[in-house]
Amino acid sequence: MRATVSRVGNAVTLIGLGLVLLSFYFTGRLDHYLHPQFRPYTLIAGFAFCFAGLVYGFVRSNVNCCVDGECLHSQAANPVRSLIACSVVLLPLVAGATFSRDGYDQQVVMNRGFVQDVNTLPIRSDISKANPPIPGSALGADIDETASANPADAPNAVPNATPATAGANAGPSNDEGSAQYLPIAPDGNIALEVTDLLYGESEESLRQLFADKTVEVIGQYLPGSGADQFKLVRMFIVCCAADARPLAVTVQAPAAMIASADMAWVRVIGRPEYTKNGDKSHVILKASKVEPTDPPAEAMLY
Amino acid sequence: MSWFNFSWQNFLFSFLALSFEGLPFVLYGSLLSGLIAAFVPSKVITGILPNNRILATLASGLLGILFPVCECGIVPVIRRLLNKGLPLSCAVTFMLASPIVNPIVAFSTFAAFRGQSPTLVMLTRIVIGYIVAVLVGLIAGTRKPEEILRSGVVGTPARKRLAFSLAPFIDNPKAGGLKEKSIGAIRLACEDFLDTSLYFILGAAVAATFNTAVDQQVILPLASSNTLSTAALMLFSAVLTLCSTSDAFIAATFASFPMVARIAFMVFGPMFDLKLFFLYSVLFKKRFVGSLAIGLFFIIGIICSLLLPFLYASYGF
């Protein structure tokens, strides 16, 4: 009887785990937590947990896990162990699934600090090539050339180049022809990510490309140092949300325009301005409009 | 601002992310371990080792490539192999190397460190794990088995008390049908998973707290020293008692710490932690278990904090 109760309890734990994983996958909540590369593993594991739980708990067999007297799982038939497993493994996940808001508050941003140099972010080449924030053609590449998420990897971009060199190699970066390949938002503005503006700090070709353009950037609001400033934050992840690192662009806007809750999603329309400070450039987005918006489909940047 | 700012919202988000990322790998490792237990005869393992003791020890460090068993499942396997006459040096080497030198761990390490020189991290972890395991195995081989092993471990009649279980399948592969073996493999995998995931969930909770609540500025002085950070993360891995199939996902999040310290975390943890202290005590005398802990701490600490930075610098990493 004890063994049966324990077996059914363990099976419930395993099936419960599977259902939690599957519900996160099929409701799309998993997108907030994991890099796309890891999501299929979670889906497969969800089904595997359910299958293993059903076999473990409800398929009749005389097969035990180990040799009698040498079994490492000495408490396998103990209902208390089953209860502990359920309490420690399943309940926290169910509680988390119920109460999690699928995002961080500003405290994590403050604890982790902003990434100072966007070029130090780990980006894998195949992912970069699959989802370039700026089309390679906009950076001067041929149409059929593969673009890169890191502009430093772009065919005609020259990392750490002097402006003159970069200008010479950037090809049509000032050309209207290249600008037409920039992603356009529904209202006609150029849709950029926070990372694009930050890459511009080290890329002359991007700075030229963005010059005098009205851009639209979505991010999370965080109060700035002054009344007319705030930080537009995005979290960058490599594997999962646990390793998320905050990226931010300073936004300058009339104080009356800034009225958002901390870490609320906002859409900022404005013009990026790059100012030189020694060898480094620093971007400030001069906003003409700041408005609340829904979170993007992918809340994290990769 | 305080150095510790706990928030349930942040904790739950980070905890769930770690769980969703790591639990599938714990399950896959358990399933593979169960399949090996059910379908691979143990004589295959002992049969492929050379007769020369040193060569056999060197080969034992690579057995995990063919028979990937994590540290949670290795102790009963070692006990069975010792019973079948596997030399002590080979048993200790296999026990320490298998949780690291195996394809599942290599894959999970590569996946966890994507974007952070994953190939280099994976190879470094495997090579250091192999060297340390062989070194400790050879040292253990210089002692008499009765000085190290608990009485009754070798030659126990337990293995002769064959119930209808997976062990008879190992010794007699023709016993039982495919269905029975498969069910046995799944049951073994489920038991291993439930045991292992307890420690994984606790580890994920500690890691989530550390990563979201602690002001990273506070730990920067610790993280700036290779020696201090290596020692700190090795102790941390011993407390967290993570499974080697998923510990890389935790280690990858300690971005404030140097890479050498994170590698030490991933080499020391699978070889010795709180959970393994109890598991090893099933096989070995307490004195050996204590010596093993101290020896591993210093060997891995020296390699990771002193030699590894030098090697990385020499090759321009």
Side-chain angles (χ1 to χ4, degrees), chain A residues 7 10 13-14 17 20-21 24 29-30 32-35 37-38 40-46 48-49 51-53 55-70 72-73 75-77 81 84-86 88-89 92-97 99-108 110-113 121-124 126-127 237-243 245 300 302, chain B residues 1-7 9-21 23-25 27-28 31 72-73 75-76 79-80 83 107 110-116 118 156-169 179-188 190-195 197-199 201-202 208 211-217 249 252-253 255 279 282:
Chain A
R7 199 174 69 243
N10 287 339
T13 299
L14 292 165
L17 275 178
V20 169
L21 297 190
F24 267 74
R29 287 181 70 186
L30 195 65
H32 297 276
Y33 291 82
L34 294 184
H35 188 281
Q37 192 181 30
F38 287 92
Y41 299 128
T42 307
L43 174 65
I44 296 167
F49 273 121
F51 177 74
V55 171
Y56 177 91
F58 306 108
V59 174
R60 284 182 170 274
S61 171
N62 292 322
V63 180
N64 299 318
C65 60
C66 304
V67 181
D68 281 354
E70 292 195 353
L72 185 67
H73 321 102
Q75 302 296 316
R81 183 256 207 178
I84 291 172
C86 183
V88 175
V89 179
L93 258 66
V94 172
F99 297 111
S100 174
R101 294 183 198 169
D102 301 340
Y104 287 124
D105 65 23
Q106 75 274 21
Q107 194 60 58
V108 163
M110 306 311 289
N111 279 344
R112 295 187 178 183
L121 287 175
I123 298 177
R124 209 174 64 174
D126 58 336
I127 298 296
I237 70 169
V238 177
C239 291
C240 70
D243 64 40
R245 300 169 71 183
M300 302 286 182
Y302 313 112
Chain B
M1 192 173 73
S2 166
W3 69 274
F4 189 82
N5 307 284
F6 184 82
S7 146
Q9 178 184 339
N10 297 330
F11 170 80
L12 287 176
F13 189 51
S14 183
F15 170 74
L16 285 179
L18 281 171
S19 300
F20 292 153
E21 189 187 27
L23 280 177
F25 284 90
L27 177 68
Y28 301 148
L31 283 171
C72 302
V75 169
R79 187 171 177 172
R80 215 168 284 149
N83 255 313
F107 176 65
F110 185 88
F113 277 84
R114 58 175 292 279
Q116 302 179 61
T156 173
R159 63 176 285 271
K160 294 172 185 168
R161 298 199 305 268
L162 298 176
F164 188 57
S165 65
L166 282 180
F169 297 163
K179 183 185 168 191
E180 290 294 294
K181 284 185 181 181
S182 301
I183 292 171
I186 290 173
R187 287 206 169 158
L188 177 61
C190 290
E191 293 293 351
D192 280 348
F193 173 81
L194 289 169
D195 280 351
S197 58
L198 289 175
Y199 295 101
I201 290 290
L202 292 175
N211 282 323
T212 59
V214 176
D215 184 353
Q216 302 294 305
Q217 295 291 329
F249 295 106
T253 65
L279 289 178
V282 174

Side-chain angles (χ1 to χ4, degrees), chain B residues 105-306:
Chain B
V105 173
F107 176 65
S108 67
T109 306
F110 185 88
F113 277 84
R114 58 175 292 279
Q116 302 179 61
S117 306
T119 308
L120 180 66
V121 173
M122 179 190 71
L123 290 176
T124 305
R125 181 185 193 187
I126 289 173
V127 169
I128 294 177
Y130 176 77
I131 290 171
V132 171
V134 168
L135 198 60
V136 175
L138 288 173
I139 293 170
T142 62
R143 312 306 295 262
K144 293 178 181 173
E146 56 267 28
E147 291 177 17
I148 291 176
L149 296 171
R150 290 184 61 173
S151 58
V153 168
V154 179
T156 173
R159 63 176 285 271
K160 294 172 185 168
R161 298 199 305 268
L162 298 176
F164 188 57
S165 65
L166 282 180
F169 297 163
I170 293 171
D171 293 337
N172 179 14
K174 291 181 180 173
L178 178 66
K179 183 185 168 191
E180 290 294 294
K181 284 185 181 181
S182 301
I183 292 171
I186 290 173
R187 287 206 169 158
L188 177 61
C190 290
E191 293 293 351
D192 280 348
F193 173 81
L194 289 169
D195 280 351
T196 312
S197 58
L198 289 175
Y199 295 101
F200 175 80
I201 290 290
L202 292 175
V206 173
T209 305
F210 179 83
N211 282 323
T212 59
V214 176
D215 184 353
Q216 302 294 305
Q217 295 291 329
V218 173
I219 58 169
L220 280 181
L222 187 67
S224 62
S225 158
N226 280 340
T227 308
L228 282 177
S229 58
T230 299
L233 281 195
M234 280 198 292
L235 289 174
F236 198 42
S237 71
V239 174
L240 286 181
T241 62
L242 299 171
C243 180
S244 63
T245 53
S246 53
D247 61 355
F249 295 106
I250 308 289
T253 65
F254 298 142
S256 305
F257 286 84
M259 187 59 80
V260 292
R262 290 191 271 170
I263 287 171
F265 176 93
M266 293 186 292
V267 174
F268 184 76
M271 291 189 177
F272 203 97
D273 58 31
L274 285 178
K275 160 197 68 189
L276 290 173
F277 174 80
F278 294 104
L279 289 178
Y280 288 165
S281 299
V282 174
L283 278 180
F284 302 106
K285 291 183 175 175
K286 285 279 193 298
R287 187 174 174 181
F288 176 76
V289 176
S291 305
L292 187 66
I294 295 167
L296 288 172
F297 186 85
F298 279 103
I299 292 172
I300 296 169
I302 288 169
I303 290 176
C304 289
S305 65
L306 299 178

Side-chain angles (χ1 to χ4, degrees), chain A:
Chain A
M1 181 62 185
R2 280 165 55 87
T4 304
V5 170
S6 173
R7 199 174 69 243
V8 171
N10 287 339
V12 167
T13 299
L14 292 165
I15 294 168
L17 275 178
L19 293 177
V20 169
L21 297 190
L22 291 176
S23 73
F24 267 74
Y25 185 90
F26 286 113
T27 59
R29 287 181 70 186
L30 195 65
D31 298 358
H32 297 276
Y33 291 82
L34 294 184
H35 188 281
Q37 192 181 30
F38 287 92
R39 294 173 199 163
Y41 299 128
T42 307
L43 174 65
I44 296 167
F47 285 116
F49 273 121
C50 292
F51 177 74
L54 288 170
V55 171
Y56 177 91
F58 306 108
V59 174
R60 284 182 170 274
S61 171
N62 292 322
V63 180
N64 299 318
C65 60
C66 304
V67 181
D68 281 354
E70 292 195 353
C71 185
L72 185 67
H73 321 102
S74 55
Q75 302 296 316
N78 189 342
V80 176
R81 183 256 207 178
S82 174
L83 186 65
I84 291 172
C86 183
S87 306
V88 175
V89 179
L90 179 60
L91 287 186
L93 258 66
V94 172
T98 307
F99 297 111
S100 174
R101 294 183 198 169
D102 301 340
Y104 287 124
D105 65 23
Q106 75 274 21
Q107 194 60 58
V108 163
V109 177
M110 306 311 289
N111 279 344
R112 295 187 178 183
F114 295 110
V115 173
Q116 297 298 318
D117 182 359
V118 73
N119 290 305
T120 63
L121 287 175
I123 298 177
R124 209 174 64 174
S125 56
D126 58 336
I127 298 296
S128 308
K129 288 169 182 173
N131 298 299
I134 307 275
S137 48
L139 295 168
D142 291 338
I143 297 291
D144 58 349
E145 276 185 302
T146 307
S148 167
N150 184 347
D153 295 335
N156 287 328
V158 181
N160 305 318
T162 62
T165 310
N169 287 287
S173 59
N174 281 328
D175 184 359
E176 286 303 314
S178 63
Q180 68 179 309
Y181 296 109
L182 287 170
I184 304 296
D187 56 6
N189 296 314
I190 296 168
L192 296 183
E193 297 286 7
V194 167
T195 40
D196 300 328
L197 295 176
L198 292 175
Y199 280 128
E201 292 183 344
S202 57
E203 279 298 315
E204 174 67 22
S205 57
L206 284 176
R207 290 199 290 274
Q208 291 178 13
L209 194 63
F210 299 154
D212 301 324
K213 305 260 188 333
T214 299
V215 303
E216 176 182 314
V217 190
I218 291 177
Q220 289 174 282
Y221 167 86
L222 197 68
S225 52
D228 63 343
Q229 282 191 349
F230 68 92
K231 297 276 190 188
L232 193 65
V233 180
R234 289 297 295 268
M235 302 298 269
F236 180 94
I237 70 169
V238 177
C239 291
C240 70
D243 64 40
R245 300 169 71 183
L247 303 167
V249 165
T250 302
V251 178
Q252 207 168 61
M257 208 181 278
I258 305 173
S260 288
D262 290 356
M263 297 302 278
W265 287 94
V266 292
R267 181 199 318 271
V268 178
I269 297 171
R271 294 192 172 206
E273 284 190 12
Y274 289 91
T275 52
K276 277 272 187 186
N277 185 8
D279 290 340
K280 299 188 75 175
S281 288
H282 183 66
V283 64
I284 291 181
L285 185 57
K286 300 266 175 114
S288 56
K289 190 176 182 183
V290 179
E291 60 185 8
T293 188
D294 293 329
E298 295 282 358
M300 302 286 182
L301 296 175
Y302 313 112

Side-chain angles (χ1 to χ4, degrees), chain B residues 41-107:
Chain B
S42 56
K43 67 181 179 187
V44 170
I45 297 177
T46 52
I48 61 174
L49 292 177
N51 289 328
N52 179 286
R53 191 176 65 86
I54 293 177
L55 288 178
T57 306
L58 290 171
S60 299
L62 301 173
L63 280 178
I65 297 171
L66 296 175
F67 310 105
V69 188
C70 75
E71 72 270 29
C72 302
I74 193 71
V75 169
V77 175
I78 289 296
R79 187 171 177 172
R80 215 168 284 149
L81 292 175
L82 280 168
N83 255 313
K84 296 180 78 70
L86 186 73
L88 185 59
S89 61
C90 298
V92 171
T93 302
F94 182 37
M95 181 183 79
L96 296 177
S98 173
I100 296 173
V101 187
N102 84 52
I104 300 170
V105 173
F107 176 65

